Amino acid sequence: MHSSLASLVKASPSTCNCRALNYKFTAQLAVRMVSGGRSRSGRLSLNAVAQAERMLKSVSAEFLSDVEIKELLQRPRIDFTSILTTVGPIVEQVRQDGDAAVRQFTERFDRVTLDDICVSPQELPWPELPEDVSAAFDVAYANIRAFHEAQRGTDTEVTTMPGVTCRRVTRPINAVGVYVPGGTAVLPSSALMLAVPAQIAGCSTVVLATPPR
C-alpha cells in the first residue's frame, strides 16, 4: 500500500432579474455545448447559434403569473418508482440473508465469486508503483489534506443573555462508509477525497466499499 494511503489505514448568471430572463447569456452557454460553438475566427458560428436557439425556450416573466414563474423555477422531479421496484427486493434479500445474498448478487451482476467480502487493508499486498505515480499520490494526499484541514471547525460558545449560553460543538461521526466506484476505471482519487476528510475528522471506523473489479 502506498505511503499516503497507508497513513489512512493507521488512522482508522451571479444576479438574476426575475422580470426578464437573460436569454442571450443562456444561448451563449448552450452554444458552447453545440460542436464547440465557434468558427475558425473564434466567433460564434451561425449554425451553432441557430441550433442553440432551437434547443432553448424563451420565456418572458413579464407575462407570467407568480404561480407560472414558480413552476418554471422548480427543479425537475425524478420518478424513482421503477428504480425502487428493482432495487427494493435486492436490499430486502441482503437484509435477510446477509453475506450470502451479497455473494449471490456479486456473482450475478459482477460475475465474480468472492472469497472474502471484507478484507483488512493490512492483508492487502503492497502495490508496486512507478516513482512518478507514487509522487503523484503524495502530492494529491497533501493537497487534499491541506484543503480539508482548513475547514476544521472550532467549538463556539456564545452567551446570548445572562444565564443562557449557546454552543456549537463539532464532533466526528464514529463510523463512516466510503464508496469508491469501479468498473471501467480505477479511482484512487475517490478513496483519497473521501477517506482523508474522515481521517482528519477523527472517525474511528472507516469502511471502504468498492466493486470487485
PDB file of all heavy atoms in Angstrom, residues 95-130:
ATOM      1  N   ARG A  95     -30.788  -7.823   3.443  1.00  0.00           N
ATOM      2  CA  ARG A  95     -31.152  -7.621   4.841  1.00  0.00           C
ATOM      3  C   ARG A  95     -31.458  -8.963   5.520  1.00  0.00           C
ATOM      4  O   ARG A  95     -31.102  -9.181   6.679  1.00  0.00           O
ATOM      5  CB  ARG A  95     -32.360  -6.686   4.940  1.00  0.00           C
ATOM      6  CG  ARG A  95     -32.787  -6.398   6.379  1.00  0.00           C
ATOM      7  CD  ARG A  95     -33.997  -5.483   6.438  1.00  0.00           C
ATOM      8  NE  ARG A  95     -33.664  -4.132   6.028  1.00  0.00           N
ATOM      9  CZ  ARG A  95     -34.134  -3.549   4.924  1.00  0.00           C
ATOM     10  NH1 ARG A  95     -34.971  -4.207   4.141  1.00  0.00           N
ATOM     11  NH2 ARG A  95     -33.788  -2.314   4.612  1.00  0.00           N
ATOM     12  N   GLN A  96     -32.083  -9.859   4.791  1.00  0.00           N
ATOM     13  CA  GLN A  96     -32.470 -11.148   5.371  1.00  0.00           C
ATOM     14  C   GLN A  96     -31.317 -12.158   5.381  1.00  0.00           C
ATOM     15  O   GLN A  96     -31.086 -12.840   6.381  1.00  0.00           O
ATOM     16  CB  GLN A  96     -33.650 -11.735   4.592  1.00  0.00           C
ATOM     17  CG  GLN A  96     -34.946 -10.948   4.749  1.00  0.00           C
ATOM     18  CD  GLN A  96     -36.087 -11.556   3.946  1.00  0.00           C
ATOM     19  OE1 GLN A  96     -35.927 -12.566   3.280  1.00  0.00           O
ATOM     20  NE2 GLN A  96     -37.254 -10.932   4.019  1.00  0.00           N
ATOM     21  N   ASP A  97     -30.586 -12.239   4.259  1.00  0.00           N
ATOM     22  CA  ASP A  97     -29.592 -13.305   4.115  1.00  0.00           C
ATOM     23  C   ASP A  97     -28.159 -12.846   4.324  1.00  0.00           C
ATOM     24  O   ASP A  97     -27.234 -13.670   4.317  1.00  0.00           O
ATOM     25  CB  ASP A  97     -29.721 -13.950   2.721  1.00  0.00           C
ATOM     26  CG  ASP A  97     -31.102 -14.539   2.502  1.00  0.00           C
ATOM     27  OD1 ASP A  97     -31.765 -14.888   3.504  1.00  0.00           O
ATOM     28  OD2 ASP A  97     -31.519 -14.651   1.332  1.00  0.00           O
ATOM     29  N   GLY A  98     -27.936 -11.544   4.455  1.00  0.00           N
ATOM     30  CA  GLY A  98     -26.604 -11.050   4.763  1.00  0.00           C
ATOM     31  C   GLY A  98     -25.572 -11.347   3.690  1.00  0.00           C
ATOM     32  O   GLY A  98     -25.805 -11.148   2.496  1.00  0.00           O
ATOM     33  N   ASP A  99     -24.401 -11.852   4.139  1.00  0.00           N
ATOM     34  CA  ASP A  99     -23.276 -12.068   3.233  1.00  0.00           C
ATOM     35  C   ASP A  99     -23.609 -13.048   2.115  1.00  0.00           C
ATOM     36  O   ASP A  99     -23.097 -12.930   0.993  1.00  0.00           O
ATOM     37  CB  ASP A  99     -22.066 -12.578   4.018  1.00  0.00           C
ATOM     38  CG  ASP A  99     -21.475 -11.496   4.910  1.00  0.00           C
ATOM     39  OD1 ASP A  99     -21.915 -10.336   4.787  1.00  0.00           O
ATOM     40  OD2 ASP A  99     -20.579 -11.805   5.718  1.00  0.00           O
ATOM     41  N   ALA A 100     -24.452 -14.017   2.411  1.00  0.00           N
ATOM     42  CA  ALA A 100     -24.820 -14.994   1.386  1.00  0.00           C
ATOM     43  C   ALA A 100     -25.490 -14.304   0.197  1.00  0.00           C
ATOM     44  O   ALA A 100     -25.235 -14.641  -0.966  1.00  0.00           O
ATOM     45  CB  ALA A 100     -25.737 -16.058   1.981  1.00  0.00           C
ATOM     46  N   ALA A 101     -26.352 -13.340   0.481  1.00  0.00           N
ATOM     47  CA  ALA A 101     -27.015 -12.594  -0.585  1.00  0.00           C
ATOM     48  C   ALA A 101     -26.021 -11.716  -1.335  1.00  0.00           C
ATOM     49  O   ALA A 101     -26.100 -11.574  -2.564  1.00  0.00           O
ATOM     50  CB  ALA A 101     -28.144 -11.742  -0.011  1.00  0.00           C
ATOM     51  N   VAL A 102     -25.064 -11.122  -0.616  1.00  0.00           N
ATOM     52  CA  VAL A 102     -24.042 -10.296  -1.267  1.00  0.00           C
ATOM     53  C   VAL A 102     -23.231 -11.135  -2.246  1.00  0.00           C
ATOM     54  O   VAL A 102     -22.951 -10.722  -3.380  1.00  0.00           O
ATOM     55  CB  VAL A 102     -23.113  -9.648  -0.218  1.00  0.00           C
ATOM     56  CG1 VAL A 102     -21.949  -8.932  -0.911  1.00  0.00           C
ATOM     57  CG2 VAL A 102     -23.885  -8.670   0.650  1.00  0.00           C
ATOM     58  N   ARG A 103     -22.848 -12.315  -1.829  1.00  0.00           N
ATOM     59  CA  ARG A 103     -22.102 -13.213  -2.723  1.00  0.00           C
ATOM     60  C   ARG A 103     -22.941 -13.560  -3.952  1.00  0.00           C
ATOM     61  O   ARG A 103     -22.450 -13.583  -5.083  1.00  0.00           O
ATOM     62  CB  ARG A 103     -21.719 -14.495  -1.975  1.00  0.00           C
ATOM     63  CG  ARG A 103     -20.734 -14.294  -0.843  1.00  0.00           C
ATOM     64  CD  ARG A 103     -20.468 -15.619  -0.127  1.00  0.00           C
ATOM     65  NE  ARG A 103     -19.712 -15.439   1.087  1.00  0.00           N
ATOM     66  CZ  ARG A 103     -18.381 -15.358   1.123  1.00  0.00           C
ATOM     67  NH1 ARG A 103     -17.690 -15.468   0.006  1.00  0.00           N
ATOM     68  NH2 ARG A 103     -17.763 -15.192   2.278  1.00  0.00           N
ATOM     69  N   GLN A 104     -24.207 -13.849  -3.721  1.00  0.00           N
ATOM     70  CA  GLN A 104     -25.098 -14.251  -4.817  1.00  0.00           C
ATOM     71  C   GLN A 104     -25.240 -13.130  -5.844  1.00  0.00           C
ATOM     72  O   GLN A 104     -25.114 -13.365  -7.056  1.00  0.00           O
ATOM     73  CB  GLN A 104     -26.467 -14.624  -4.259  1.00  0.00           C
ATOM     74  CG  GLN A 104     -27.496 -14.949  -5.332  1.00  0.00           C
ATOM     75  CD  GLN A 104     -28.877 -15.212  -4.741  1.00  0.00           C
ATOM     76  OE1 GLN A 104     -29.015 -15.464  -3.554  1.00  0.00           O
ATOM     77  NE2 GLN A 104     -29.899 -15.126  -5.588  1.00  0.00           N
ATOM     78  N   PHE A 105     -25.499 -11.910  -5.365  1.00  0.00           N
ATOM     79  CA  PHE A 105     -25.685 -10.797  -6.292  1.00  0.00           C
ATOM     80  C   PHE A 105     -24.369 -10.396  -6.956  1.00  0.00           C
ATOM     81  O   PHE A 105     -24.368  -9.906  -8.090  1.00  0.00           O
ATOM     82  CB  PHE A 105     -26.309  -9.612  -5.564  1.00  0.00           C
ATOM     83  CG  PHE A 105     -27.762  -9.803  -5.240  1.00  0.00           C
ATOM     84  CD1 PHE A 105     -28.202  -9.789  -3.930  1.00  0.00           C
ATOM     85  CD2 PHE A 105     -28.688 -10.004  -6.250  1.00  0.00           C
ATOM     86  CE1 PHE A 105     -29.544  -9.967  -3.634  1.00  0.00           C
ATOM     87  CE2 PHE A 105     -30.035 -10.181  -5.965  1.00  0.00           C
ATOM     88  CZ  PHE A 105     -30.464 -10.165  -4.660  1.00  0.00           C
ATOM     89  N   THR A 106     -23.248 -10.579  -6.266  1.00  0.00           N
ATOM     90  CA  THR A 106     -21.954 -10.278  -6.871  1.00  0.00           C
ATOM     91  C   THR A 106     -21.681 -11.224  -8.034  1.00  0.00           C
ATOM     92  O   THR A 106     -21.187 -10.812  -9.095  1.00  0.00           O
ATOM     93  CB  THR A 106     -20.832 -10.390  -5.828  1.00  0.00           C
ATOM     94  OG1 THR A 106     -21.073  -9.469  -4.760  1.00  0.00           O
ATOM     95  CG2 THR A 106     -19.477 -10.050  -6.454  1.00  0.00           C
ATOM     96  N   GLU A 107     -22.005 -12.489  -7.857  1.00  0.00           N
ATOM     97  CA  GLU A 107     -21.839 -13.446  -8.949  1.00  0.00           C
ATOM     98  C   GLU A 107     -22.789 -13.127 -10.104  1.00  0.00           C
ATOM     99  O   GLU A 107     -22.437 -13.280 -11.271  1.00  0.00           O
ATOM    100  CB  GLU A 107     -22.096 -14.863  -8.437  1.00  0.00           C
ATOM    101  CG  GLU A 107     -21.034 -15.370  -7.474  1.00  0.00           C
ATOM    102  CD  GLU A 107     -21.315 -16.790  -7.022  1.00  0.00           C
ATOM    103  OE1 GLU A 107     -22.315 -17.376  -7.499  1.00  0.00           O
ATOM    104  OE2 GLU A 107     -20.539 -17.326  -6.211  1.00  0.00           O
ATOM    105  N   ARG A 108     -23.965 -12.650  -9.753  1.00  0.00           N
ATOM    106  CA  ARG A 108     -24.978 -12.373 -10.779  1.00  0.00           C
ATOM    107  C   ARG A 108     -24.656 -11.126 -11.585  1.00  0.00           C
ATOM    108  O   ARG A 108     -24.721 -11.139 -12.825  1.00  0.00           O
ATOM    109  CB  ARG A 108     -26.343 -12.228 -10.105  1.00  0.00           C
ATOM    110  CG  ARG A 108     -27.468 -11.820 -11.057  1.00  0.00           C
ATOM    111  CD  ARG A 108     -28.777 -11.697 -10.285  1.00  0.00           C
ATOM    112  NE  ARG A 108     -29.826 -11.109 -11.099  1.00  0.00           N
ATOM    113  CZ  ARG A 108     -31.043 -10.812 -10.648  1.00  0.00           C
ATOM    114  NH1 ARG A 108     -31.350 -11.066  -9.380  1.00  0.00           N
ATOM    115  NH2 ARG A 108     -31.945 -10.277 -11.435  1.00  0.00           N
ATOM    116  N   PHE A 109     -24.301 -10.041 -10.891  1.00  0.00           N
ATOM    117  CA  PHE A 109     -24.106  -8.770 -11.584  1.00  0.00           C
ATOM    118  C   PHE A 109     -22.655  -8.533 -12.008  1.00  0.00           C
ATOM    119  O   PHE A 109     -22.409  -7.975 -13.078  1.00  0.00           O
ATOM    120  CB  PHE A 109     -24.581  -7.613 -10.698  1.00  0.00           C
ATOM    121  CG  PHE A 109     -26.050  -7.645 -10.399  1.00  0.00           C
ATOM    122  CD1 PHE A 109     -26.510  -7.755  -9.101  1.00  0.00           C
ATOM    123  CD2 PHE A 109     -26.981  -7.569 -11.419  1.00  0.00           C
ATOM    124  CE1 PHE A 109     -27.872  -7.786  -8.819  1.00  0.00           C
ATOM    125  CE2 PHE A 109     -28.344  -7.601 -11.165  1.00  0.00           C
ATOM    126  CZ  PHE A 109     -28.785  -7.707  -9.858  1.00  0.00           C
ATOM    127  N   ASP A 110     -21.704  -8.913 -11.162  1.00  0.00           N
ATOM    128  CA  ASP A 110     -20.294  -8.662 -11.462  1.00  0.00           C
ATOM    129  C   ASP A 110     -19.587  -9.883 -12.040  1.00  0.00           C
ATOM    130  O   ASP A 110     -18.444  -9.777 -12.481  1.00  0.00           O
ATOM    131  CB  ASP A 110     -19.552  -8.209 -10.188  1.00  0.00           C
ATOM    132  CG  ASP A 110     -20.072  -6.883  -9.662  1.00  0.00           C
ATOM    133  OD1 ASP A 110     -20.167  -5.945 -10.469  1.00  0.00           O
ATOM    134  OD2 ASP A 110     -20.370  -6.794  -8.465  1.00  0.00           O
ATOM    135  N   ARG A 111     -20.253 -11.036 -11.965  1.00  0.00           N
ATOM    136  CA  ARG A 111     -19.670 -12.283 -12.460  1.00  0.00           C
ATOM    137  C   ARG A 111     -18.341 -12.588 -11.782  1.00  0.00           C
ATOM    138  O   ARG A 111     -17.353 -12.967 -12.414  1.00  0.00           O
ATOM    139  CB  ARG A 111     -19.505 -12.221 -13.985  1.00  0.00           C
ATOM    140  CG  ARG A 111     -20.829 -12.035 -14.723  1.00  0.00           C
ATOM    141  CD  ARG A 111     -20.651 -11.929 -16.211  1.00  0.00           C
ATOM    142  NE  ARG A 111     -21.924 -11.709 -16.887  1.00  0.00           N
ATOM    143  CZ  ARG A 111     -22.055 -11.536 -18.206  1.00  0.00           C
ATOM    144  NH1 ARG A 111     -20.973 -11.553 -18.979  1.00  0.00           N
ATOM    145  NH2 ARG A 111     -23.243 -11.349 -18.737  1.00  0.00           N
ATOM    146  N   VAL A 112     -18.351 -12.380 -10.486  1.00  0.00           N
ATOM    147  CA  VAL A 112     -17.164 -12.637  -9.667  1.00  0.00           C
ATOM    148  C   VAL A 112     -17.585 -13.444  -8.448  1.00  0.00           C
ATOM    149  O   VAL A 112     -18.590 -13.131  -7.805  1.00  0.00           O
ATOM    150  CB  VAL A 112     -16.497 -11.321  -9.212  1.00  0.00           C
ATOM    151  CG1 VAL A 112     -15.371 -11.607  -8.223  1.00  0.00           C
ATOM    152  CG2 VAL A 112     -15.960 -10.551 -10.413  1.00  0.00           C
ATOM    153  N   THR A 113     -16.802 -14.479  -8.142  1.00  0.00           N
ATOM    154  CA  THR A 113     -17.042 -15.263  -6.932  1.00  0.00           C
ATOM    155  C   THR A 113     -16.107 -14.762  -5.840  1.00  0.00           C
ATOM    156  O   THR A 113     -14.885 -14.819  -5.983  1.00  0.00           O
ATOM    157  CB  THR A 113     -16.787 -16.758  -7.187  1.00  0.00           C
ATOM    158  OG1 THR A 113     -17.674 -17.202  -8.226  1.00  0.00           O
ATOM    159  CG2 THR A 113     -17.043 -17.564  -5.924  1.00  0.00           C
ATOM    160  N   LEU A 114     -16.675 -14.255  -4.775  1.00  0.00           N
ATOM    161  CA  LEU A 114     -15.881 -13.656  -3.700  1.00  0.00           C
ATOM    162  C   LEU A 114     -15.396 -14.714  -2.719  1.00  0.00           C
ATOM    163  O   LEU A 114     -16.161 -15.558  -2.268  1.00  0.00           O
ATOM    164  CB  LEU A 114     -16.712 -12.613  -2.948  1.00  0.00           C
ATOM    165  CG  LEU A 114     -17.173 -11.381  -3.736  1.00  0.00           C
ATOM    166  CD1 LEU A 114     -18.059 -10.514  -2.860  1.00  0.00           C
ATOM    167  CD2 LEU A 114     -15.975 -10.578  -4.232  1.00  0.00           C
ATOM    168  N   ASP A 115     -14.107 -14.654  -2.396  1.00  0.00           N
ATOM    169  CA  ASP A 115     -13.572 -15.490  -1.325  1.00  0.00           C
ATOM    170  C   ASP A 115     -13.894 -14.859   0.024  1.00  0.00           C
ATOM    171  O   ASP A 115     -14.299 -15.530   0.965  1.00  0.00           O
ATOM    172  CB  ASP A 115     -12.063 -15.668  -1.485  1.00  0.00           C
ATOM    173  CG  ASP A 115     -11.716 -16.443  -2.748  1.00  0.00           C
ATOM    174  OD1 ASP A 115     -12.510 -17.320  -3.128  1.00  0.00           O
ATOM    175  OD2 ASP A 115     -10.677 -16.149  -3.358  1.00  0.00           O
ATOM    176  N   ASP A 116     -13.671 -13.547   0.092  1.00  0.00           N
ATOM    177  CA  ASP A 116     -13.953 -12.786   1.309  1.00  0.00           C
ATOM    178  C   ASP A 116     -14.698 -11.518   0.929  1.00  0.00           C
ATOM    179  O   ASP A 116     -14.372 -10.857  -0.064  1.00  0.00           O
ATOM    180  CB  ASP A 116     -12.659 -12.424   2.044  1.00  0.00           C
ATOM    181  CG  ASP A 116     -11.909 -13.651   2.525  1.00  0.00           C
ATOM    182  OD1 ASP A 116     -12.484 -14.398   3.333  1.00  0.00           O
ATOM    183  OD2 ASP A 116     -10.761 -13.853   2.075  1.00  0.00           O
ATOM    184  N   ILE A 117     -15.676 -11.182   1.734  1.00  0.00           N
ATOM    185  CA  ILE A 117     -16.433  -9.966   1.490  1.00  0.00           C
ATOM    186  C   ILE A 117     -15.727  -8.762   2.116  1.00  0.00           C
ATOM    187  O   ILE A 117     -15.676  -7.678   1.539  1.00  0.00           O
ATOM    188  CB  ILE A 117     -17.863 -10.096   2.030  1.00  0.00           C
ATOM    189  CG1 ILE A 117     -18.616 -11.156   1.224  1.00  0.00           C
ATOM    190  CG2 ILE A 117     -18.599  -8.759   1.977  1.00  0.00           C
ATOM    191  CD1 ILE A 117     -20.028 -11.393   1.684  1.00  0.00           C
ATOM    192  N   CYS A 118     -15.185  -8.957   3.286  1.00  0.00           N
ATOM    193  CA  CYS A 118     -14.460  -7.888   3.993  1.00  0.00           C
ATOM    194  C   CYS A 118     -12.991  -8.262   4.098  1.00  0.00           C
ATOM    195  O   CYS A 118     -12.651  -9.383   4.498  1.00  0.00           O
ATOM    196  CB  CYS A 118     -15.050  -7.662   5.381  1.00  0.00           C
ATOM    197  SG  CYS A 118     -16.758  -7.076   5.358  1.00  0.00           S
ATOM    198  N   VAL A 119     -12.128  -7.305   3.745  1.00  0.00           N
ATOM    199  CA  VAL A 119     -10.684  -7.526   3.794  1.00  0.00           C
ATOM    200  C   VAL A 119     -10.047  -6.375   4.555  1.00  0.00           C
ATOM    201  O   VAL A 119     -10.362  -5.206   4.312  1.00  0.00           O
ATOM    202  CB  VAL A 119     -10.080  -7.606   2.383  1.00  0.00           C
ATOM    203  CG1 VAL A 119      -8.577  -7.822   2.455  1.00  0.00           C
ATOM    204  CG2 VAL A 119     -10.742  -8.714   1.577  1.00  0.00           C
ATOM    205  N   SER A 120      -9.158  -6.708   5.476  1.00  0.00           N
ATOM    206  CA  SER A 120      -8.428  -5.674   6.205  1.00  0.00           C
ATOM    207  C   SER A 120      -7.332  -5.111   5.311  1.00  0.00           C
ATOM    208  O   SER A 120      -6.664  -5.867   4.586  1.00  0.00           O
ATOM    209  CB  SER A 120      -7.813  -6.260   7.471  1.00  0.00           C
ATOM    210  OG  SER A 120      -6.959  -5.307   8.083  1.00  0.00           O
ATOM    211  N   PRO A 121      -7.134  -3.788   5.311  1.00  0.00           N
ATOM    212  CA  PRO A 121      -6.076  -3.201   4.471  1.00  0.00           C
ATOM    213  C   PRO A 121      -4.703  -3.797   4.751  1.00  0.00           C
ATOM    214  O   PRO A 121      -3.867  -3.887   3.847  1.00  0.00           O
ATOM    215  CB  PRO A 121      -6.118  -1.711   4.844  1.00  0.00           C
ATOM    216  CG  PRO A 121      -7.507  -1.491   5.327  1.00  0.00           C
ATOM    217  CD  PRO A 121      -7.897  -2.752   6.033  1.00  0.00           C
ATOM    218  N   GLN A 122      -4.472  -4.190   6.004  1.00  0.00           N
ATOM    219  CA  GLN A 122      -3.170  -4.772   6.336  1.00  0.00           C
ATOM    220  C   GLN A 122      -2.930  -6.103   5.627  1.00  0.00           C
ATOM    221  O   GLN A 122      -1.789  -6.527   5.484  1.00  0.00           O
ATOM    222  CB  GLN A 122      -3.045  -4.977   7.853  1.00  0.00           C
ATOM    223  CG  GLN A 122      -2.890  -3.696   8.656  1.00  0.00           C
ATOM    224  CD  GLN A 122      -4.225  -3.039   8.967  1.00  0.00           C
ATOM    225  OE1 GLN A 122      -5.273  -3.461   8.464  1.00  0.00           O
ATOM    226  NE2 GLN A 122      -4.198  -1.991   9.784  1.00  0.00           N
ATOM    227  N   GLU A 123      -3.997  -6.739   5.164  1.00  0.00           N
ATOM    228  CA  GLU A 123      -3.866  -8.022   4.485  1.00  0.00           C
ATOM    229  C   GLU A 123      -3.586  -7.876   2.994  1.00  0.00           C
ATOM    230  O   GLU A 123      -3.245  -8.866   2.331  1.00  0.00           O
ATOM    231  CB  GLU A 123      -5.148  -8.842   4.675  1.00  0.00           C
ATOM    232  CG  GLU A 123      -5.492  -9.141   6.134  1.00  0.00           C
ATOM    233  CD  GLU A 123      -6.834  -9.831   6.260  1.00  0.00           C
ATOM    234  OE1 GLU A 123      -7.419 -10.186   5.208  1.00  0.00           O
ATOM    235  OE2 GLU A 123      -7.307 -10.012   7.387  1.00  0.00           O
ATOM    236  N   LEU A 124      -3.734  -6.678   2.470  1.00  0.00           N
ATOM    237  CA  LEU A 124      -3.531  -6.471   1.042  1.00  0.00           C
ATOM    238  C   LEU A 124      -2.049  -6.335   0.718  1.00  0.00           C
ATOM    239  O   LEU A 124      -1.275  -5.793   1.508  1.00  0.00           O
ATOM    240  CB  LEU A 124      -4.267  -5.200   0.597  1.00  0.00           C
ATOM    241  CG  LEU A 124      -5.783  -5.199   0.796  1.00  0.00           C
ATOM    242  CD1 LEU A 124      -6.363  -3.845   0.409  1.00  0.00           C
ATOM    243  CD2 LEU A 124      -6.430  -6.311  -0.023  1.00  0.00           C
ATOM    244  N   PRO A 125      -1.621  -6.826  -0.443  1.00  0.00           N
ATOM    245  CA  PRO A 125      -0.208  -6.699  -0.827  1.00  0.00           C
ATOM    246  C   PRO A 125       0.164  -5.245  -1.099  1.00  0.00           C
ATOM    247  O   PRO A 125      -0.666  -4.449  -1.534  1.00  0.00           O
ATOM    248  CB  PRO A 125      -0.120  -7.549  -2.098  1.00  0.00           C
ATOM    249  CG  PRO A 125      -1.513  -7.532  -2.667  1.00  0.00           C
ATOM    250  CD  PRO A 125      -2.424  -7.523  -1.474  1.00  0.00           C
ATOM    251  N   TRP A 126       1.410  -4.907  -0.830  1.00  0.00           N
ATOM    252  CA  TRP A 126       1.894  -3.554  -1.088  1.00  0.00           C
ATOM    253  C   TRP A 126       2.068  -3.379  -2.592  1.00  0.00           C
ATOM    254  O   TRP A 126       2.815  -4.125  -3.222  1.00  0.00           O
ATOM    255  CB  TRP A 126       3.219  -3.331  -0.366  1.00  0.00           C
ATOM    256  CG  TRP A 126       3.630  -1.894  -0.319  1.00  0.00           C
ATOM    257  CD1 TRP A 126       4.257  -1.192  -1.294  1.00  0.00           C
ATOM    258  CD2 TRP A 126       3.420  -0.984   0.749  1.00  0.00           C
ATOM    259  NE1 TRP A 126       4.469   0.094  -0.908  1.00  0.00           N
ATOM    260  CE2 TRP A 126       3.963   0.248   0.354  1.00  0.00           C
ATOM    261  CE3 TRP A 126       2.838  -1.102   2.012  1.00  0.00           C
ATOM    262  CZ2 TRP A 126       3.941   1.366   1.173  1.00  0.00           C
ATOM    263  CZ3 TRP A 126       2.816   0.018   2.824  1.00  0.00           C
ATOM    264  CH2 TRP A 126       3.361   1.236   2.410  1.00  0.00           C
ATOM    265  N   PRO A 127       1.395  -2.423  -3.213  1.00  0.00           N
ATOM    266  CA  PRO A 127       1.478  -2.283  -4.673  1.00  0.00           C
ATOM    267  C   PRO A 127       2.832  -1.747  -5.127  1.00  0.00           C
ATOM    268  O   PRO A 127       3.457  -0.935  -4.437  1.00  0.00           O
ATOM    269  CB  PRO A 127       0.361  -1.288  -4.992  1.00  0.00           C
ATOM    270  CG  PRO A 127       0.229  -0.468  -3.751  1.00  0.00           C
ATOM    271  CD  PRO A 127       0.511  -1.401  -2.606  1.00  0.00           C
ATOM    272  N   GLU A 128       3.261  -2.200  -6.256  1.00  0.00           N
ATOM    273  CA  GLU A 128       4.484  -1.690  -6.869  1.00  0.00           C
ATOM    274  C   GLU A 128       4.096  -0.632  -7.898  1.00  0.00           C
ATOM    275  O   GLU A 128       3.476  -0.931  -8.912  1.00  0.00           O
ATOM    276  CB  GLU A 128       5.256  -2.824  -7.529  1.00  0.00           C
ATOM    277  CG  GLU A 128       5.753  -3.879  -6.537  1.00  0.00           C
ATOM    278  CD  GLU A 128       6.550  -4.978  -7.222  1.00  0.00           C
ATOM    279  OE1 GLU A 128       6.735  -4.876  -8.464  1.00  0.00           O
ATOM    280  OE2 GLU A 128       6.963  -5.926  -6.536  1.00  0.00           O
ATOM    281  N   LEU A 129       4.468   0.606  -7.624  1.00  0.00           N
ATOM    282  CA  LEU A 129       4.081   1.727  -8.465  1.00  0.00           C
ATOM    283  C   LEU A 129       5.307   2.425  -9.038  1.00  0.00           C
ATOM    284  O   LEU A 129       6.342   2.501  -8.371  1.00  0.00           O
ATOM    285  CB  LEU A 129       3.259   2.748  -7.665  1.00  0.00           C
ATOM    286  CG  LEU A 129       1.965   2.262  -7.021  1.00  0.00           C
ATOM    287  CD1 LEU A 129       1.371   3.367  -6.168  1.00  0.00           C
ATOM    288  CD2 LEU A 129       0.972   1.822  -8.086  1.00  0.00           C
ATOM    289  N   PRO A 130       5.209   2.952 -10.257  1.00  0.00           N
ATOM    290  CA  PRO A 130       6.286   3.787 -10.796  1.00  0.00           C
ATOM    291  C   PRO A 130       6.504   4.999  -9.897  1.00  0.00           C
ATOM    292  O   PRO A 130       5.580   5.464  -9.223  1.00  0.00           O
ATOM    293  CB  PRO A 130       5.755   4.195 -12.182  1.00  0.00           C
ATOM    294  CG  PRO A 130       4.742   3.153 -12.538  1.00  0.00           C
ATOM    295  CD  PRO A 130       4.117   2.750 -11.231  1.00  0.00           C
TER     296      PRO A 130
END
